[in-house]
Tab-separated table of all heavy atoms in Angstrom:
chain	number	residue	atom	x	y	z
A	136	ALA	N	-13.065	12.797	1.146
A	136	ALA	CA	-12.335	12.301	-0.043
A	136	ALA	C	-13.103	11.203	-0.774
A	136	ALA	O	-13.138	11.226	-2.017
A	136	ALA	CB	-10.911	11.742	0.402
A	137	ILE	N	-13.852	10.357	-0.046
A	137	ILE	CA	-14.571	9.310	-0.706
A	137	ILE	C	-15.917	9.850	-1.227
A	137	ILE	O	-16.193	9.665	-2.400
A	137	ILE	CB	-14.778	8.128	0.267
A	137	ILE	CG1	-13.470	7.410	0.572
A	137	ILE	CG2	-15.804	7.085	-0.278
A	137	ILE	CD1	-13.539	6.484	1.678
A	138	ASN	N	-16.591	10.542	-0.436
A	138	ASN	CA	-17.933	11.024	-0.872
A	138	ASN	C	-18.004	12.156	-1.846
A	138	ASN	O	-18.837	12.297	-2.645
A	138	ASN	CB	-18.796	11.348	0.391
A	138	ASN	CG	-19.012	10.156	1.325
A	138	ASN	OD1	-19.067	9.018	0.924
A	138	ASN	ND2	-19.150	10.396	2.593
A	139	GLU	N	-17.032	13.148	-1.661
A	139	GLU	CA	-16.994	14.349	-2.504
A	139	GLU	C	-15.975	14.309	-3.646
A	139	GLU	O	-16.270	14.781	-4.707
A	139	GLU	CB	-16.756	15.474	-1.625
A	139	GLU	CG	-17.726	15.783	-0.544
A	139	GLU	CD	-17.410	17.001	0.309
A	139	GLU	OE1	-16.602	17.873	-0.114
A	139	GLU	OE2	-17.900	17.019	1.500
A	140	LEU	N	-14.891	13.626	-3.326
A	140	LEU	CA	-13.758	13.667	-4.422
A	140	LEU	C	-13.744	12.377	-5.204
A	140	LEU	O	-13.113	12.273	-6.238
A	140	LEU	CB	-12.402	13.841	-3.768
A	140	LEU	CG	-12.188	15.191	-2.943
A	140	LEU	CD1	-10.806	15.166	-2.436
A	140	LEU	CD2	-12.484	16.428	-3.784
A	141	GLY	N	-14.391	11.294	-4.684
A	141	GLY	CA	-14.478	10.031	-5.467
A	141	GLY	C	-13.355	9.061	-5.221
A	141	GLY	O	-13.122	8.128	-5.972
A	142	ALA	N	-12.657	9.173	-4.077
A	142	ALA	CA	-11.552	8.308	-3.833
A	142	ALA	C	-12.161	6.835	-3.636
A	142	ALA	O	-13.274	6.754	-3.153
A	142	ALA	CB	-10.880	8.670	-2.454
A	143	ARG	N	-11.269	5.899	-4.019
A	143	ARG	CA	-11.753	4.542	-3.974
A	143	ARG	C	-11.126	3.688	-2.854
A	143	ARG	O	-11.020	2.415	-2.965
A	143	ARG	CB	-11.635	3.862	-5.367
A	143	ARG	CG	-12.300	4.458	-6.447
A	143	ARG	CD	-13.726	4.809	-6.233
A	143	ARG	NE	-14.561	3.507	-5.971
A	143	ARG	CZ	-15.760	3.651	-5.476
A	143	ARG	NH1	-16.339	4.824	-5.070
A	143	ARG	NH2	-16.529	2.608	-5.223
A	144	GLY	N	-10.619	4.306	-1.916
A	144	GLY	CA	-10.055	3.696	-0.735
A	144	GLY	C	-9.102	4.676	-0.052
A	144	GLY	O	-9.029	5.838	-0.397
A	145	VAL	N	-8.400	4.235	0.978
A	145	VAL	CA	-7.421	5.031	1.632
A	145	VAL	C	-6.152	4.328	1.778
A	145	VAL	O	-6.074	3.060	1.765
A	145	VAL	CB	-7.993	5.490	3.082
A	145	VAL	CG1	-9.192	6.253	3.028
A	145	VAL	CG2	-8.037	4.317	4.064
A	146	GLN	N	-5.072	5.016	1.923
A	146	GLN	CA	-3.694	4.598	2.131
A	146	GLN	C	-3.221	4.916	3.463
A	146	GLN	O	-3.268	6.007	3.940
A	146	GLN	CB	-2.749	5.074	1.055
A	146	GLN	CG	-1.271	4.600	1.291
A	146	GLN	CD	-0.366	5.088	0.265
A	146	GLN	OE1	0.282	4.311	-0.473
A	146	GLN	NE2	-0.137	6.381	0.182
A	147	LEU	N	-2.623	3.881	4.183
A	147	LEU	CA	-2.073	4.130	5.532
A	147	LEU	C	-0.653	3.559	5.428
A	147	LEU	O	-0.332	2.663	4.823
A	147	LEU	CB	-2.813	3.346	6.580
A	147	LEU	CG	-4.273	3.557	6.716
A	147	LEU	CD1	-4.817	2.734	7.893
A	147	LEU	CD2	-4.616	5.068	6.927
A	148	ILE	N	0.192	4.255	6.261
A	148	ILE	CA	1.588	3.828	6.411
A	148	ILE	C	1.593	2.704	7.500
A	148	ILE	O	0.691	2.679	8.392
A	148	ILE	CB	2.526	4.928	6.864
A	148	ILE	CG1	2.410	6.106	5.809
A	148	ILE	CG2	3.930	4.564	6.945
A	148	ILE	CD1	2.848	5.767	4.441
A	149	THR	N	2.522	1.787	7.488
A	149	THR	CA	2.511	0.578	8.380
A	149	THR	C	2.677	0.971	9.852
A	149	THR	O	2.436	0.124	10.707
A	149	THR	CB	3.643	-0.390	7.979
A	149	THR	OG1	4.855	0.308	7.669
A	149	THR	CG2	3.213	-1.138	6.717
A	150	SER	N	3.013	2.156	10.085
A	150	SER	CA	3.027	2.662	11.538
A	150	SER	C	2.700	4.180	11.457
A	150	SER	O	3.042	4.774	10.425
A	150	SER	CB	4.322	2.425	12.227
A	150	SER	OG	5.383	3.261	11.834
A	151	VAL	N	2.147	4.719	12.455
A	151	VAL	CA	1.883	6.124	12.563
A	151	VAL	C	2.947	6.804	13.376
A	151	VAL	O	3.008	6.829	14.533
A	151	VAL	CB	0.491	6.369	13.162
A	151	VAL	CG1	0.232	7.931	13.234
A	151	VAL	CG2	-0.593	5.731	12.393
A	152	ASN	N	4.030	7.238	12.555
A	152	ASN	CA	5.230	7.802	13.207
A	152	ASN	C	5.773	6.964	14.297
A	152	ASN	O	6.096	7.338	15.471
A	152	ASN	CB	4.875	9.173	13.798
A	152	ASN	CG	4.634	10.225	12.713
A	152	ASN	OD1	5.158	10.147	11.590
A	152	ASN	ND2	3.803	11.213	12.977
A	153	GLY	N	5.742	5.591	13.981
A	153	GLY	CA	6.288	4.673	14.862
A	153	GLY	C	5.349	3.973	15.861
A	153	GLY	O	5.653	3.028	16.595
A	154	ARG	N	4.157	4.356	15.774
A	154	ARG	CA	2.982	3.751	16.655
A	154	ARG	C	2.309	2.609	15.826
A	154	ARG	O	1.991	2.889	14.645
A	154	ARG	CB	2.025	4.757	17.108
A	154	ARG	CG	2.609	5.800	18.023
A	154	ARG	CD	1.585	6.889	18.318
A	154	ARG	NE	0.398	6.220	18.960
A	154	ARG	CZ	-0.735	6.839	19.151
A	154	ARG	NH1	-1.007	8.098	18.626
A	154	ARG	NH2	-1.696	6.323	19.852
A	155	PRO	N	2.047	1.509	16.364
A	155	PRO	CA	1.451	0.366	15.651
A	155	PRO	C	0.039	0.596	15.280
A	155	PRO	O	-0.741	1.305	16.051
A	155	PRO	CB	1.547	-0.777	16.594
A	155	PRO	CG	1.715	-0.203	17.919
A	155	PRO	CD	2.444	1.177	17.748
Side-chain angles (χ1 to χ4, degrees):
I137 292 172
N138 297 333
E139 298 178 24
L140 301 181
R143 302 311 297 167
V145 301
Q146 177 180 241
L147 306 182
I148 306 300
T149 43
S150 72
V151 180
N152 292 331
R154 296 176 60 197

